[in-house]
């Protein structure tokens, strides 16, 4: 009866050495997302998968089981248990470092809860079965997010300034604080909740400190035409731009992300047409200012664009990493005709469970985006600020710099229509920063959160279409004079022998780009003809499970989910 348990950590027998703290804190890393980061955009307006996500279709339901639907608290108890006992260790440096890591993860935990549910109960202690706080109501968003900031400030102060690719460091804490503060500041601003300036200023402070420390820069290997793609597609990350990544090793830890990207029956992920339209021309002019841009052929719309476009979706000259010949046009791998290639590795990793490339969770580019957006929303952005943030990203891509005065004097109508809630002050540059953010962070799991914090959930109700076809028959996808795609209504008779993709419009319908109506023989691929559903008074938050509402009578369901 007096021997320590072998299957759990018990304070009397643990928390005695620095190694104990390290081992206990390692368990917190299971909270981090892994491959879900490169799949979350398939539940937004960036990517259309074979089966649209419930939150896009408006089909989320109220969960029944206690602790389901994101309303789980087990990880928080582990963290608070650690924080109640770590002080027993005599090594001060270890106490500071690992308590900082624990508080990093508590902030990470609560940030996710607030994004998902809004107000939630704040627990800064370990609860036992008789604690009345088990049945307390939700605390205010103000209290919870102030507590999150306090945890992050503690983490930044005490976690060492190390460059550890697979471990939490001061740099990681700074970037998480920048991310959290930008989310909260803009959420409050656009949802009309007091106190947005405080959080935007904290976002500026955290991102600026990370930039000023000089520990990281942008990855540029391969130059403008390849560096963006190379950053994600290589097997092993390094600590140049990547601040935190999940490590994978053949025979030890593998994943199936590449298989999902390349399977016609799993993901069939396709980039949206309005995403393609968002990329600028290579000279910095707007693609959507060109006459008849909605009806450009695939080959024509891919010419002279921001180089990141064809490093993110397969262009006319797409070549698989490590190969010497261009890939045939295979359109059953994508719902929209725009095939995903960002983070797509060599072909050997395409089988199920064969991917070993590292997954990036935090990278330096995000700090540049946060810095610019927070200052723009505060109204303090200068051209110098743009030059040390957004324009570094554009330089990496070989794109002309963003000019503050020009952007504000001539806001892009395409983006004005996309984001109608942006006010008149700094509208043009805020829209351009949002353009840059969507392009740079595409398929890195932040698009849904961006739409929620900007109060642009109804964007999900607009048509989500793909590539445009001018009519039935043969189409040259690669510009070599040979047909690659044959569009038909049931008969493939007359298809040239060079064709590698057949599309039956009775199975894959089309939508007119001008009227938005279904069209018989010409238009955009329309993989989601019913369109998304988003209820303004309900869908910015998720529902609390029914059993938890029964167990705790002080909890109140989120509006619209009653």
């Amino acid at each position: 009866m007096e021997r320590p348990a072998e299957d759990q950590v018990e304070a009397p027998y643990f928390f005695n050495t620095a190694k104990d703290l390290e081992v206990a804190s390692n368990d917190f890393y299971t909270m981090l997302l892994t491959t879900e980061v490169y799949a979350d955009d398939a539940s937004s307006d960036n990517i259309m998968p074979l089966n649209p996500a419930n939150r896009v279709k408006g089909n989320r339901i109220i969960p029944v089981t206690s602790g389901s639907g994101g309303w789980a608290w087990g990880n928080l108890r582990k963290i608070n248990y650690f924080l109640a006992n770590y002080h027993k260790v005599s090594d001060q440096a270890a106490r500071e470092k690992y308590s900082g890591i624990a508080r990093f993860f508590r902030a990470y935990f609560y940030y996710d809860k607030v994004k998902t549910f809004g107000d939630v109960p704040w627990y800064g202690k370990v609860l036992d079965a008789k604690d009345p706080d088990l049945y307390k109501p939700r605390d205010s968003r103000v209290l919870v997010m102030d507590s999150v900031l306090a945890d992050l400030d503690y983490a930044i102060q005490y976690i060492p300034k190390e460059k550890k690719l697979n471990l939490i460091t001061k740099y990681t804490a700074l970037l998480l604080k920048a991310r959290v503060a930008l989310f909260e500041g803009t959420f409050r601003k656009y949802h009309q909740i007091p106190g947005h300036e405080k959080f935007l200023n904290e976002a500026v402070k955290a991102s600026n400190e990370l930039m000023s420390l000089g520990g990281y820069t942008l990855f540029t290997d391969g130059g403008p035409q390849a560096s963006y793609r190379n950053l994600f597609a290589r097997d092993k990350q390094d600590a140049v731009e990547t601040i935190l990544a999940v490590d994978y090793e053949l025979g030890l830890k593998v994943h199936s992300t590449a298989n999902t990207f390349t399977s016609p029956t799993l993901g069939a992920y396709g980039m949206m047409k309005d995403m393609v339209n968002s990329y600028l021309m290579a000279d910095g002019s707007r693609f959507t200012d060109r006459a008849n841009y909605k009806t450009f052929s695939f080959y024509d719309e891919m010419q002279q664009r921001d180089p990141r476009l064809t490093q993110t979706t397969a262009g006319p000259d797409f070549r698989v990493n490590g190969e010497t010949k261009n890939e045939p046009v295979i359109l059953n791998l994508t719902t929209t005709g725009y095939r995903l290639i960002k983070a797509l590795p060599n072909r050997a990793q395409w089988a199920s469970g064969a991917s070993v490339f590292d997954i990036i969770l935090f990278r330096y580019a995000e700090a540049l985006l946060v810095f610019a957006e927070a200052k723009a929303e505060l109204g303090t952005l200068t051209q110098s600020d743009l030059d040390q943030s957004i324009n570094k990203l554009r330089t990496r891509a070989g794109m002309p710099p963003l000019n503050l005065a020009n952007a504000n004097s001539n806001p892009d109508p395409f983006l004005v229509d996309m984001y109608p809630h942006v006010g008149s002050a700094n509208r043009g540059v805020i829209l351009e920063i949002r353009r840059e953010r969507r392009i740079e962070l595409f398929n890195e799991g932040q698009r849904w959160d961006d739409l929620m914090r900007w109060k642009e959930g109804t964007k999900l109700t607009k048509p989500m279409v793909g590539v445009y076809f001018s009519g039935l028959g043969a189409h040259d996808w690669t510009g070599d004079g040979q047909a690659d795609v044959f569009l038909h209504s049931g008969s493939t008779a007359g298809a040239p022998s060079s064709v590698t993709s057949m599309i039956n419009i009775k199975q894959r319908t089309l939508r007119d780009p001008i009227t938005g109506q279904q069209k018989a023989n010409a238009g955009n691929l329309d993989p989601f003809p019913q369109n998304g559903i988003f209820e303004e008074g309900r869908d910015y938050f998720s529902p609390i499970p029914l059993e938890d509402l029964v167990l705790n009578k002080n909890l109140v369901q989120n509006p619209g989910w009653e």
Side-chain angles (χ1 to χ4, degrees):
M1 297 294 290
E2 296 178 356
R3 295 175 62 185
E6 295 182 359
D7 62 346
Q8 59 184 327
V9 172
E10 293 182 332
Y13 307 101
F14 206 69
F15 298 110
N16 296 313
T17 67
K19 188 64 176 178
D20 289 347
L21 298 185
E22 179 185 359
V23 171
S25 67
N26 283 344
D27 187 43
F28 303 152
Y29 284 81
T30 60
M31 293 171 54
L32 295 172
L33 299 175
T34 55
T35 56
E36 302 98 319
V37 172
Y38 290 176
D40 191 75
D41 271 16
S43 299
S44 76
D45 65 331
N46 272 355
I47 295 170
M48 181 55 60
L50 197 60
N51 297 304
N54 283 331
R55 71 184 184 189
V56 173
K57 292 189 292 185
N59 282 353
R60 283 183 290 179
I61 60 174
I62 302 174
V64 174
T65 307
S66 176
S68 60
W71 192 265
W73 302 84
N75 284 325
L76 178 62
R77 190 180 195 283
K78 293 178 184 178
I79 296 167
N80 284 338
Y81 188 79
F82 179 100
L83 290 170
N85 291 283
Y86 80 94
H87 58 85
K88 295 168 52 182
V89 174
S90 60
D91 185 332
Q92 180 180 348
R95 290 200 310 269
E96 292 176 348
K97 174 180 178 178
Y98 292 108
S99 63
I101 290 173
R103 292 182 70 166
F104 170 95
F105 278 104
R106 188 165 66 182
Y108 182 89
F109 174 91
Y110 265 109
Y111 170 52
D112 179 66
K113 285 289 181 287
V114 170
K115 284 191 304 177
T116 307
F117 300 104
D119 294 347
V120 291
W122 172 265
Y123 295 114
K125 63 178 181 179
V126 179
L127 302 178
D128 60 39
K130 296 181 180 180
D131 196 317
D133 280 351
L134 281 171
Y135 306 103
K136 74 174 185 175
R138 297 199 261 184
D139 289 302
S140 72
R141 186 184 191 110
V142 173
L143 183 150
V144 174
M145 292 309 295
D146 282 349
S147 301
V148 166
L149 277 190
D151 273 352
L152 287 170
D153 285 338
Y154 182 97
I156 291 165
Q157 180 178 353
Y158 289 112
I159 303 176
K161 187 178 65 176
E162 303 173 294
K163 296 182 71 173
K164 300 285 188 179
L165 191 59
N166 308 125
L167 296 173
I168 303 301
T169 68
K170 179 186 183 78
Y171 297 107
T172 328
L174 280 167
L175 188 48
L176 180 61
K177 181 182 177 182
R179 180 186 295 183
V180 168
L182 179 69
F183 180 92
E184 187 64 11
T186 49
F187 191 97
R188 292 189 184 197
K189 179 176 181 178
Y190 288 101
H191 290 259
Q192 298 182 334
I193 300 172
H196 73 273
E197 296 94 342
K198 168 187 171 179
F199 282 89
L200 291 175
N201 279 312
E202 291 291 342
V204 171
K205 178 182 175 183
S207 56
N208 187 54
E209 182 176 352
L210 178 53
M211 293 157 61
S212 300
L213 285 174
Y216 293 87
T217 187
L218 295 178
F219 178 85
T220 58
D221 287 6
Q225 300 300 322
S227 58
Y228 182 76
R229 182 180 175 193
N230 289 345
L231 171 62
F232 297 92
R234 56 190 175 154
D235 288 353
K236 289 297 162 193
Q237 291 297 322
D238 56 33
V240 175
E241 178 172 345
T242 305
I243 296 174
L244 181 68
V246 184
D247 183 43
Y248 289 89
E249 296 283 349
L250 188 64
L252 295 176
K253 185 179 181 181
V254 297
H255 58 98
S256 295
T257 302
N259 181 246
T260 304
F261 283 1
T262 56
S263 169
T265 57
L266 291 177
Y269 290 168
M271 180 189 282
M272 305 294 192
K273 171 66 171 171
D274 82 326
M275 177 74 197
V276 174
N277 290 345
S278 297
Y279 288 81
L280 297 170
M281 302 300 296
D283 63 4
S285 61
R286 302 187 294 229
F287 174 72
T288 50
D289 284 348
R290 304 184 72 185
N292 303 318
Y293 76 89
K294 293 182 179 180
T295 56
F296 275 31
S297 70
F298 173 81
Y299 179 80
D300 288 341
E301 72 180 347
M302 290 289 156
Q303 303 307 305
Q304 300 300 313
R305 303 290 295 278
D306 180 333
R308 286 171 294 185
L309 174 57
T310 51
Q311 295 176 64
T312 305
T313 184
D317 300 319
F318 168 55
R319 184 172 297 177
V320 175
N321 277 4
E323 301 190 2
T324 58
K325 293 183 179 180
N326 291 351
E327 184 80 349
V329 177
I330 308 294
L331 295 189
N332 68 345
L333 300 180
T334 167
T335 59
T336 64
Y338 300 113
R339 178 179 172 184
L340 266 63
I341 63 168
K342 179 176 175 177
L344 185 65
N346 57 64
R347 198 181 301 272
Q349 299 186 50
W350 290 13
S352 178
S355 294
V356 294
F357 64 92
D358 294 349
I359 302 291
I360 301 173
L361 302 185
F362 289 86
R363 63 184 179 100
Y364 179 66
E366 185 182 348
L368 305 182
L369 291 162
V370 170
F371 178 79
E373 184 180 349
K375 295 208 77 173
E377 292 286 3
L378 285 165
T380 61
L381 185 73
T382 67
Q383 184 62 47
S384 176
D385 294 330
L386 284 176
D387 292 340
Q388 63 176 311
S389 57
I390 296 298
N391 287 335
K392 288 190 175 183
L393 295 169
R394 291 199 173 187
T395 297
R396 191 247 297 269
M399 291 292 292
L402 173 61
N403 182 275
L404 176 62
N406 292 346
N408 279 335
S409 65
N410 184 23
D412 184 356
F414 176 75
L415 296 180
V416 169
D417 179 68
M418 186 178 293
Y419 305 117
H421 289 102
V422 180
S424 58
N426 263 348
R427 172 187 280 181
V429 77
I430 288 173
L431 293 173
E432 291 302 325
I433 291 168
R434 290 188 184 186
R435 182 202 306 276
E436 194 68 26
R437 182 179 177 88
R438 190 181 186 193
I439 288 169
E440 185 68 27
L441 297 183
F442 175 83
N443 206 25
E444 293 182 54
Q446 301 212 40
R447 180 60 176 175
W448 175 270
D449 291 345
D450 287 347
L451 292 176
M452 297 303 101
R453 65 189 177 89
W454 295 331
K455 206 174 186 294
E456 298 291 0
T458 54
K459 168 71 168 62
L460 297 161
T461 67
K462 296 184 178 181
M464 300 186 192
V465 299
V467 69
Y468 177 79
F469 286 99
S470 57
L472 298 179
H475 297 266
D476 179 5
W477 214 256
T478 61
D480 63 357
Q482 300 292 317
D484 307 286
V485 181
F486 191 75
L487 198 71
H488 64 92
S489 60
S491 172
T492 60
S497 60
S498 58
V499 166
T500 54
S501 285
M502 302 278 192
I503 295 180
N504 185 345
I505 62 171
K506 292 183 178 180
Q507 299 171 343
R508 301 179 71 174
T509 57
L510 304 175
R511 186 189 292 253
D512 188 283
I514 308 301
T515 67
Q517 302 300 310
Q518 297 293 312
K519 194 169 182 180
N521 298 331
N524 298 94
L525 283 180
D526 191 14
F528 189 35
Q530 64 268 45
N531 291 348
I533 296 173
F534 192 90
E535 293 189 19
E536 275 286 313
R538 182 192 72 180
D539 288 333
Y540 285 104
F541 297 118
S542 294
I544 298 173
L546 295 177
E547 286 186 358
D548 286 294
L549 295 172
V550 172
L551 289 168
N552 182 358
K553 299 297 185 182
N554 290 313
L555 289 178
V556 177
Q557 184 61 277
N558 273 326
W561 296 102
E562 301 92 340

